[in-house]
Amino acid sequence: MLNPNERQLYLEALQPPNGYSLDRGIAATYSLDLLTLLIVPLSLVLYDYAGEDDLNDQTKMLEALQRTSEKLRIYCQRGRISVPKINSLLYSYLEDTVVEVDTLGTFHPKTWLLRFTAEELPVIYRFICLSRNLTFDQSWDTLLVLDGQLQGSTMIENKPLLDYLQGLQYLAGKPEQNLDVVWEELSRVKFETPSGFNRSLKFWPLGIDGYKKNPLLRKADRLLIISPFVSDNLLRDVLEKSGANSYLISRIDSLDQLQEETLSLFERSYVMDDPAVDETNAEDVESNDNSRSDLHAKLYISEKGNTTKVFTGSANATNAAFYLNTELLVELTTDNWNMNIDEFLSSDKNLFGSVIKEYRRGELKKIDIEKAKLEALTDKLRDALSNHHFSLNVVPGDEKGTYKMEMACDKGLTDLLSEAKATCWPITLQSSMAKEISEVGEESIISFNLSTAALTSFMAFEITAYQGDLKNRVRFVLNLPIEGLPEDRYEKVLLSIISDRNRFLRYLIMLLAEGKILNPDFIEIIKSGSNNGKPTGDRADNGLPLMEEMIRALSRTPDKIDRIDRLVRELSKTEEGREVLPEDFNLIWGPIWETRQRMVSKK
């Protein structure tokens, strides 16, 4: 049963099995928070996230990003990347990872497929199906984790999953060559179902070519629908086809908008018990209401005879979800004694029924027509800007080491924005540096002066619409095509973080410390960010046993030596980077790296 007291963290589900490491991964989400995505690599390769301290630990995040950014592809709805609340030059490592998708309906799935490998161990695949977007949202959601290994024969049940995942890259118009091994292996992966469910497993893509069937349109004895957003037509169609005694759990505002005739078709309707407003996330990306710790799960439980079927995933109980959007549901099967609607709705503290209450329709709320018009206008303008053919071009700036990043716009854009104010800025700058799009000028160019490290393809937009005393604002980010980026951009980002010998030493020790306990002096340096506040001096080790630790890593975990080599090579590309390396560092490093190269050549 789904226990409300057992809330699994999103990031925990991404952690590799013991002894394994991430090989590659594909994710899909409707909305995307870049700050959340910045944290994901910590779970994928460093296996932990300690909260706000890690957000301030640039060296730790840099290492995780360098080891994962080329292995991941994250697909999201165009125009639904939120403006990050914390500025960081590290977002540049996500530019090639994030792929925006624009479809006829809404791109709305929430899934991960991860491939994990380990030396002399079988490949493990993990498929994660969620109702949660890749954001910091605190609402009630569901998460299904399926692990599987390769079999000798084809698993027919995986074909819809394979079609869905391959369909993502074609929707984005960006086929990925490095996923060929995934497409070849996935059809032979046997996913293990959760405890209590039988081995029957079905994947239901929606909005992908060849998949139009609504899996809920089937006969049932009883049916429970859990969905934050609902529509009259979809609910009536499902209930008419199923002929079931039905129950509904949704949000108060969604139930308020249903027709009385639709509500009367359900035995009972429920809402979350006193949902609280989430002050940390003022904009709910799936509605115009304030974001709350409310229901966001999409779950359908169907009983027929002694069998219970559970559908979980991204699809709301709306016509748009089942007949227009791109979505994914997973179907699981079990016996009534293991899961049934009565138990699910029970008020027992260990069951979901303990956090819901029966819905009672009060006075229907009158929709503020003027406010609704403003919200519709900002949504319309966001879609228009999201589909606009912006492009970025980087040219040398007036001062040495600076660049002008020019955003080209169509001349008709100012007419589009006649009813609102729109501004934009690179996300590496503060929003106070934004420029108004309506003042683009005859050349249709908006220009920003940036350092090499601050160049980015992520452009933030803000649209504000006014109607009398009313105002409505929306912010979002677009990942725009960009040309002219200098070749040393990533080296400059690296140097902005590893900017002196203290920070180099800390980075080095962090790599060596991964997965093991070091001496107290090393631990103190990792925590403090410097050598106890003292200069490291000209010696590479400064009295610390770096040589011993690197020899130990060379023997037991040589991949750490490879990562140190990557760092040293990147720093050595520029005079500024070479200054970061301690004076005597090569006396220690040279023999270590020569030994590592001999080890590789003997394999």
Side-chain angles (χ1 to χ4, degrees), residues 417-448:
L417 297 171
S418 60
E419 300 177 87
K421 176 183 176 181
T423 60
C424 64
W425 67 98
I427 66 168
T428 48
L429 297 181
Q430 299 289 340
S431 59
S432 59
M433 303 295 290
K435 295 189 177 182
E436 193 166 341
I437 296 177
S438 58
E439 298 178 354
V440 67
E442 290 186 7
E443 294 183 355
S444 299
I445 295 291
I446 299 176
S447 180
F448 296 90

Side-chain angles (χ1 to χ4, degrees), residues 264-428:
S264 67
L265 298 175
F266 291 91
E267 296 289 320
R268 287 187 180 84
S269 300
Y270 300 89
V271 295
M272 299 302 296
D273 195 359
D274 295 326
V277 174
D278 180 4
E279 300 293 345
T280 65
N281 186 8
E283 183 187 349
D284 181 352
V285 295
E286 289 197 343
S287 75
N288 290 315
D289 300 326
N290 286 336
S291 186
R292 303 171 297 181
S293 297
D294 203 341
L295 181 73
H296 195 252
K298 295 87 174 169
L299 191 70
Y300 305 88
I301 302 177
S302 172
E303 296 178 6
K304 186 176 182 183
N306 295 322
T307 300
T308 297
K309 290 188 177 294
V310 177
F311 301 84
T312 183
S314 65
N316 287 293
T318 64
N319 271 38
F322 282 89
Y323 302 119
L324 189 60
N325 296 350
T326 302
E327 312 266 6
L328 187 108
L329 291 170
V330 177
E331 177 184 342
L332 301 166
T333 304
T334 187
D335 298 317
N336 282 154
W337 61 265
N338 181 58
M339 174 177 273
N340 60 71
I341 293 172
D342 284 340
E343 274 192 68
F344 190 90
L345 297 177
S346 168
S347 59
D348 185 290
K349 66 179 181 179
N350 293 322
L351 300 173
F352 194 75
S354 64
V355 295
I356 60 175
K357 64 182 179 181
E358 195 164 349
Y359 168 74
R360 292 281 184 261
R361 189 194 285 276
E363 264 188 54
L364 287 177
K365 298 177 183 177
K366 293 183 179 179
I367 299 174
D368 189 322
I369 296 176
E370 295 304 320
K371 182 180 178 182
K373 285 182 179 179
L374 273 180
E375 292 170 350
L377 175 60
T378 50
D379 282 344
K380 175 185 174 183
L381 292 175
R382 168 159 55 180
D383 290 342
L385 287 181
S386 298
N387 292 317
H388 191 77
H389 298 296
F390 293 112
S391 61
L392 299 173
N393 187 47
V394 177
V395 296
D398 297 329
E399 298 181 13
K400 184 179 179 181
T402 66
Y403 290 86
K404 285 184 179 179
M405 191 171 76
E406 300 175 338
M407 186 177 78
C409 317
D410 290 345
K411 291 184 178 180
L413 190 59
T414 53
D415 295 333
L416 177 68
L417 297 171
S418 60
E419 300 177 87
K421 176 183 176 181
T423 60
C424 64
W425 67 98
I427 66 168
T428 48

